[in-house]
């Protein structure tokens, strides 16, 4: 509720100058603050892009020696294999905060 209040204050302050942007924000507002529905211990992990950036770096590093892929399908296969390998490598890893709230998260999906 507090974050929504701050967001609405932001709308009021900047709507005149940036009405198009504010209109876009209003359209996505239900999804914009959804991470506040989750426990505090994992919020930073949810809105952080560190895991995505890490995976992108793996793809770039492994694709660089290949220089060029003959077809788009070969690139798709390569990225798929890299994603499966990355998942296998980090399968048992518990991201920061998730171990503390595992029971709560599991109850969300029952």
């Amino acid at each position: 509720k507090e974050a929504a209040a701050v967001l609405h204050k932001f709308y009021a302050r900047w709507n005149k100058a940036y009405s198009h942007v504010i209109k876009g924000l209003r359209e996505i507002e239900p999804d914009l603050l959804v991470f506040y529905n989750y426990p505090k211990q994992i919020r930073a992990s949810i809105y952080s892009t560190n895991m995505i950036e890490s995976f992108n770096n793996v793809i770039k590093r492994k694709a660089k020696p290949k220089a060029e892929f003959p077809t788009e399908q070969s690139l798709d296969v390569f990225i798929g294999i890299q994603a499966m390998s990355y998942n296998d490598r980090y399968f048992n890893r518990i991201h920061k905060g998730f171990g503390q709230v595992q029971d709560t998260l599991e109850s969300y999906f029952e």
Side-chain angles (χ1 to χ4, degrees), residues 14-32:
W14 294 103
N15 190 40
K16 200 172 207 178
Y18 300 102
S19 61
H20 187 68
V21 173
I22 299 300
K23 181 183 176 197
L25 285 173
R26 286 184 191 275
E27 289 174 6
I28 64 165
E29 186 174 332
D31 298 325
L32 191 61

Side-chain angles (χ1 to χ4, degrees), residues 71-94:
T71 65
E72 191 172 327
Q73 184 180 4
S74 65
L75 177 60
D76 287 345
V77 169
F78 173 78
I79 291 174
I81 290 169
Q82 296 307 314
M84 290 187 313
S85 172
Y86 189 83
N87 286 341
D88 289 344
R89 195 173 5 189
Y90 296 109
F91 179 73
N92 290 322
R93 179 179 176 209
I94 297 176

